[in-house]
């Protein structure tokens, strides 16, 4: 059993992991950059160790410093959170080579799913339905034009190494293909050091539905239903919910089983998310994330389980604490991502928090590393908090979200809170009538 876990992350997700450790009687070690010396995760952990200067590349991505921090503190395992090193197969290998445990999947699973072409091939072979498109990589513009012709425009050109919405370009016709193909390749090269691209049919009215899966690494796996993350800006999620407002119990059981069987077959260990686009009653796989997702709390809320605790358990070689039959949906949960950003342009807005008050009461969870007087450093992601509400049904969850947003105070900086107040005034949000393009269109006329 682990006595001490090091958390290779910062912000709300570092607190999330520290909380699970504390409930399990495990000591926690925070690592931090010099810019984060006053951060909440440093204060809350049992021990803290500075691993470098402010830029992420020199601190939270500094593998040698993180391994050294484990050696100095005697931590036996590393929880990577999300982002940073969470999906870095080389890091996992290095962790294991040092006799430490990485709390997450194997290097091999991360490598396979981190390359979108390989991931799609693997999922297809495992019986998971995929978006129609090119068979693997597309070498040049001529080949790309042929695919466009074959599948019909619009198509989307995607960098195989892409992530975070980067390296994706839509082409509506053959003329647009030229620049879209080149831009996707260039973005892949610039952001991920890999210019290989593939092409898919561009679905025009899908919802983003993702299935939470969990494996024990020994051939057993379960699914924890879906999350609907269709409200997106620039392919980035801003509002997530579970269960999906348009997914039936039969559809959930069917696609859930396909996903659980697929990850069981590859002996997947830990938490994973299989992302789909959902259109006209059909699911189309787009990618798998081999880590805890930002939006995992909505799943925790409706199933009443602690996913971080489960990650730690299976990393220790213990079985999962639930079976598929144990997992029953209770009510409805919604998460909104609160970013330090100034509307309407969503420009980053770091600065000092003069006053912070978190909402509370029945069915409200605020995951945030903010506190009165905290200065948000300008070096990292703009996510400063996640407000998660849980109700007996979607209507109650929305009313609770409205109430909780009203209680939240973040003074001193601009945040995305006004966006959610405005969205709650929209009929489509209440009826659940939206797809992945709804928010972009709404923003054009409403902000
Ligand atoms: P990333 O790894 O950058 O997050 P994804 O493959 O997960 O990229 O896609 C992110 C988002 O991009 C999806 O949620 C969806 O909004 C859009 N998208 C991706 N593929 C398609 C497609 N074939 N058709 C329409 N939209 C797509």
């Amino acid at each position: 059993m682990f006595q001490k876990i090091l958390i290779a992350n910062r912000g709300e997700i570092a607190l999330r992991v520290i909380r699970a450790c504390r409930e399990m009687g495990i000591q926690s070690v925070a690592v931090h950059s010099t810019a984060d010396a006053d951060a909440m995760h440093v204060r809350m952990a049992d021990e803290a160790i500075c691993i470098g200067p402010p830029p992420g590349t020199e601190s939270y991505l500094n593998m040698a410093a993180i391994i050294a921090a484990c050696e100095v503190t005697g931590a036996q395992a590393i929880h990577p959170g999300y982002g940073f090193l969470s999906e870095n197969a080389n890091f996992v290998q290095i962790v294991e080579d040092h006799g430490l445990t990485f709390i997450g999947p194997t290097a091999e699973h991360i490598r396979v799913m981190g390359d979108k072409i390989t991931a799609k091939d693997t999922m297809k072979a495992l019986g998971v339905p995929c978006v129609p498109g090119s068979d693997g990589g597309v070498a040049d513009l001529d080949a790309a034009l042929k695919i466009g012709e074959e599948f019909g425009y619009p198509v989307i050109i995607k960098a195989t190494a892409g992530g975070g919405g980067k390296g994706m370009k839509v082409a509506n016709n053959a003329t647009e293909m030229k620049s879209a193909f080149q831009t996707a390749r260039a973005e892949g090269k610039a952001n991920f050091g890999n210019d290989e691209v593939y092409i898919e049919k561009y679905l025009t009215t899908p919802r983003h539905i993702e299935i939470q899966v969990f494996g024990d690494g020994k051939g057993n796996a379960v699914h924890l239903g879906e999350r609907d993350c269709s409200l997106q800006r620039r392919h980035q999620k801003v509002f997530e919910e579970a269960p999906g407002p348009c997914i039936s119990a039969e559809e959930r059981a069917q696609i859930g089983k396909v996903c659980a069987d697929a990850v069981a077959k590859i002996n997947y260990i830990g938490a994973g998310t299989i992302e789909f686009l959902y259109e006209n009653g059909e699911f189309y796989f787009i990618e798998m994330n081999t880590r805890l997702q930002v939006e995992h709390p909505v799943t925790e809320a409706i199933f009443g389980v602690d996913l971080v605790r489960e990650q730690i358990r299976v990393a220790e070689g213990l079985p999962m604490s639930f079976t598929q039959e144990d997992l029953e949906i209770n009510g409805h949960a919604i998460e909104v991502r609160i970013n330090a950003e100034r509307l309407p342009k969503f420009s980053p807005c770091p600065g000092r928090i003069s006053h912070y008050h978190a909402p509370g009461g029945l069915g409200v969870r605020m995951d945030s590393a903010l506190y009165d007087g905290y200065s948000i450093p300008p070096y990292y992601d703009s996510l400063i908090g996640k407000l998660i509400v849980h109700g007996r049904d979607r209507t109650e969850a929305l009313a609770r979200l409205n109430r909780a947003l009203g209680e939240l105070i973040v003074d001193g900086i601009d945040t995305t809170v006004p966006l959610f107040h405005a969205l709650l005034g929209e009929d489509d949000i209440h009826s659940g009538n939206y797809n992945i393009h709804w928010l972009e269109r709404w923003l054009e006329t409403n902000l």
Side-chain angles (χ1 to χ4, degrees):
M1 296 303 105
F2 303 138
Q3 270 98 49
K4 206 184 261 189
I5 292 176
L6 180 141
I7 299 123
N9 216 302
R10 62 183 301 282
E12 69 85 20
I13 195 59
L15 300 195
R16 171 70 191 86
V17 180
I18 293 169
R19 287 175 169 138
C21 287
R22 196 146 289 155
E23 289 182 17
M24 296 173 84
I26 299 170
Q27 297 279 303
S28 55
V29 180
V31 292
H32 65 92
S33 69
T34 50
D36 273 344
D38 291 330
M40 194 60 161
H41 73 287
V42 173
R43 298 179 177 198
M44 210 195 248
D46 294 303
E47 289 170 62
I49 199 155
C50 183
I51 50 165
T57 46
E58 293 173 53
S59 50
Y60 298 101
L61 291 167
N62 182 342
M63 301 187 205
I66 291 167
I67 300 287
C70 280
E71 283 171 350
V72 168
T73 58
Q76 298 133 318
I78 298 179
H79 195 299
Y82 52 69
F84 293 125
L85 294 168
S86 61
E87 289 175 290
N88 186 314
N90 292 337
F91 179 61
V92 177
Q93 197 57 60
I94 290 167
V95 169
E96 284 169 4
D97 290 348
H98 283 80
L100 302 164
T101 303
F102 180 79
I103 301 174
T106 61
E108 182 57 18
H109 287 145
I110 294 179
R111 204 167 281 130
V112 166
M113 297 305 164
D115 181 88
K116 291 184 176 189
I117 293 176
T118 317
K120 223 175 147 176
D121 285 346
T122 306
M123 285 298 177
K124 219 190 253 169
L126 289 165
V128 177
C130 296
V131 189
S134 64
D135 205 8
V138 178
D140 52 36
L141 184 60
D142 280 346
L145 287 164
K146 250 186 222 137
I147 306 269
E149 199 103 319
E150 182 185 343
F151 288 93
Y153 291 95
V155 295
I156 182 164
I157 302 103
K158 298 167 93 169
T160 190
K166 291 204 188 90
M168 280 190 292
K169 282 284 163 266
V170 179
N172 287 298
N173 49 53
T175 321
E176 283 181 24
M177 177 60 100
K178 195 172 173 201
S179 70
F181 184 76
Q182 269 143 15
T183 311
R185 281 183 78 138
E187 280 189 21
K189 185 87 196 162
N191 292 293
F192 312 101
N194 181 348
D195 68 358
E196 188 168 25
V197 296
Y198 63 108
I199 298 180
E200 290 183 337
K201 180 92 194 127
Y202 183 69
L203 303 181
T204 49
T205 58
R207 297 179 78 108
H208 174 111
I209 303 287
E210 56 184 37
I211 306 290
Q212 175 73 55
V213 289
F214 208 98
D216 68 357
K218 298 168 184 158
N220 304 299
V222 298
H223 72 86
L224 293 97
E226 78 284 2
R227 293 182 285 261
D228 186 323
C229 315
S230 300
L231 287 175
Q232 302 181 352
R233 178 180 169 269
R234 305 209 168 148
H235 305 304
Q236 298 273 49
K237 302 157 188 169
V238 302
F239 175 114
E240 301 110 336
E241 62 186 308
C246 64
I247 303 295
S248 69
E250 293 73 38
E251 285 176 305
R252 174 175 312 118
Q254 188 266 329
I255 193 71
K257 186 172 185 325
V258 168
C259 292
D261 287 351
V263 296
K265 250 181 248 165
I266 58 170
N267 290 329
Y268 188 80
I269 182 163
T273 296
I274 305 189
E275 296 193 337
F276 293 93
L277 294 177
Y278 174 82
E279 194 174 74
N280 301 327
E282 302 283 343
F283 290 90
Y284 302 96
F285 170 79
I286 47 172
E287 69 161 348
M288 176 165 181
N289 293 321
T290 51
R291 54 167 160 82
L292 194 69
Q293 303 265 105
V294 174
E295 59 273 24
H296 76 277
V298 292
T299 301
E300 294 188 322
I302 63 166
F303 286 103
V305 300
D306 178 337
L307 288 172
V308 177
R309 183 173 206 272
E310 292 303 316
Q311 289 185 298
I312 295 171
R313 279 178 63 93
V314 297
E316 285 176 325
L318 294 172
M320 291 179 276
S321 70
F322 43 71
T323 63
Q324 190 69 62
E325 289 67 44
D326 297 332
L327 293 167
E328 250 179 75
I329 294 181
N330 171 20
H332 196 99
I334 300 173
E335 170 181 289
V336 294
R337 295 195 192 191
I338 297 165
N339 292 347
E341 286 169 355
R342 181 173 297 135
L343 303 176
K345 291 214 154 97
F346 295 85
S347 32
C349 190
R352 188 173 175 277
I353 306 292
S354 54
H355 185 48
Y356 171 65
H357 174 79
L362 181 63
V364 175
R365 166 175 171 183
M366 183 78 195
D367 277 18
S368 170
L370 294 185
Y371 60 84
D372 271 351
Y374 174 62
S375 281
I376 301 167
Y379 309 101
Y380 314 107
D381 195 82
S382 62
L383 181 77
I384 52 164
K386 308 186 309 203
L387 172 57
I388 304 108
V389 293
H390 183 214
R392 285 173 298 180
D393 54 28
R394 192 167 187 274
T395 309
E396 191 170 89
L398 283 165
R400 196 154 280 155
L401 176 61
N402 188 39
R403 187 269 291 171
L405 282 168
E407 288 178 24
L408 172 64
I409 298 171
V410 184
D411 282 345
I413 58 158
D414 283 320
T415 73
T416 48
V417 166
L419 167 69
F420 301 114
H421 278 301
L423 286 176
L424 284 171
E426 291 294 329
D427 289 345
D428 285 346
I429 298 298
H430 289 270
S431 64
N433 176 31
Y434 45 79
N435 59 45
I436 58 166
H437 306 298
W438 186 95
L439 182 60
E440 292 276 4
R441 283 184 199 141
W442 182 86
L443 287 170
E444 275 167 24
T445 45
N446 289 276
L447 271 190

